[in-house]
Amino acid sequence: MKKLTIVAPMMAIAAATLVSCGNSAPKAELNDDIDTLSYAIGIEQSQGIKSALPQMDIDTAYIDEFAKGIADAAQGADDKKKAAYNAGIGVGQQLNMMLKGFSRQLFEGDSTKTLSLKNLVAGFIAGTTGKDAKMTIEQARMFGQSKSEAIQMKNAEQKFAKEKKASDDFMAAAAKKPGIQKLGKGVLYKVLKEGKGATPSTNATVTMNYEGKNIEGKVFDKRDGAKMPISGAIPGFTEAISHMPIGSKWEIYIPYTSGYGARQAGPDLKPFSALIFTVELLGAEEPKVGNAGASQINQ
């Protein structure tokens, strides 16, 4: 016997967000086994939606309207015009939920600030229909990313001003220490042991012993014999290792602008954390040009 497939959660949620066009919910008439089976399936499939009502922001005081919407959408599904409208209703309600989620993330829970629902909907419709779009998808992506990062950075600078100042002061003091040298991206380093090996490229996979600390001196990461592609590290770490001869041991200071920026990167790495690494570079593997595998460079 073939088991009936349960409705996928997203499909169920989309159906549940459709609103009423005025029809009443149908009354069950269990005249035969098919009627009763149909009703039983409806009861069974309803439980996922029932448990999801709080997350869908459905006020149970209007549960009858919710029921009417379900009935209207189901009964009008074969009417293409009505089905298109109902589908739009469902997407529109999901857009409203999306706006709330984006606003919470962007403004870090500040309920006095929100994105514009009117313009979000206008942009969504323009992108969907291809009519009267004021920017291309590439322009939208670029602007969205840069502006979102700028807003989040501004909010974080206000919220974590103390942490930012502490890191700025720490890096300024570190730059004045004896033996400190400077690299690009604001990175500072001090040679603890001079290496005589080759300097790995930014495409290399390196083997090293390292320890990472925050400016309070708390160790947040430590590994011996770690093997990793340096291109996948934070920018300041890649900058330092790609200038470090194999066999060297350096103390490296990385500003938050070349580290994790304004985001929290762990319990011991608050937003705007400057980082201190002690790294001993043991070896490196460079990718072979036009060939599989890699050539190994050792001390």
Side-chain angles (χ1 to χ4, degrees), residues 46-113:
S46 70
Q47 298 312 291
I49 292 298
K50 185 176 181 181
S51 62
L53 286 177
Q55 290 74 36
M56 295 162 61
D57 201 25
I58 301 296
D59 189 335
T60 54
Y62 299 99
I63 195 67
D64 289 343
E65 294 301 312
F66 177 73
K68 289 178 184 178
I70 294 175
D72 282 352
Q75 294 168 3
D78 293 329
D79 181 330
K80 292 183 178 180
K81 182 177 180 180
K82 188 173 182 180
Y85 177 80
N86 284 340
I89 292 289
V91 171
Q93 292 204 355
Q94 291 180 46
L95 277 179
N96 189 284
M97 295 170 64
M98 183 191 301
L99 176 126
K100 293 175 181 177
F102 281 158
S103 295
R104 281 194 300 269
Q105 181 180 354
L106 189 62
F107 301 114
E108 297 187 353
D110 185 346
S111 60
T112 65
K113 298 178 181 178

Side-chain angles (χ1 to χ4, degrees), residues 210-266:
Y210 74 87
E211 178 183 81
K213 298 186 293 186
N214 61 22
I215 63 175
E216 286 83 28
K218 188 165 186 178
V219 175
F220 63 85
D221 195 9
K222 182 176 182 179
R223 291 179 63 189
D224 289 336
K227 189 173 183 178
M228 61 177 285
I230 60 175
S231 61
I234 55 174
F237 197 84
T238 301
E239 176 75 9
I241 303 305
S242 63
H243 286 83
M244 188 176 183
I246 295 171
S248 297
K249 186 175 182 180
W250 285 7
E251 187 170 72
I252 302 165
Y253 302 84
I254 300 176
Y256 55 80
T257 51
S258 294
Y260 296 106
R263 65 186 176 93
Q264 179 111 12

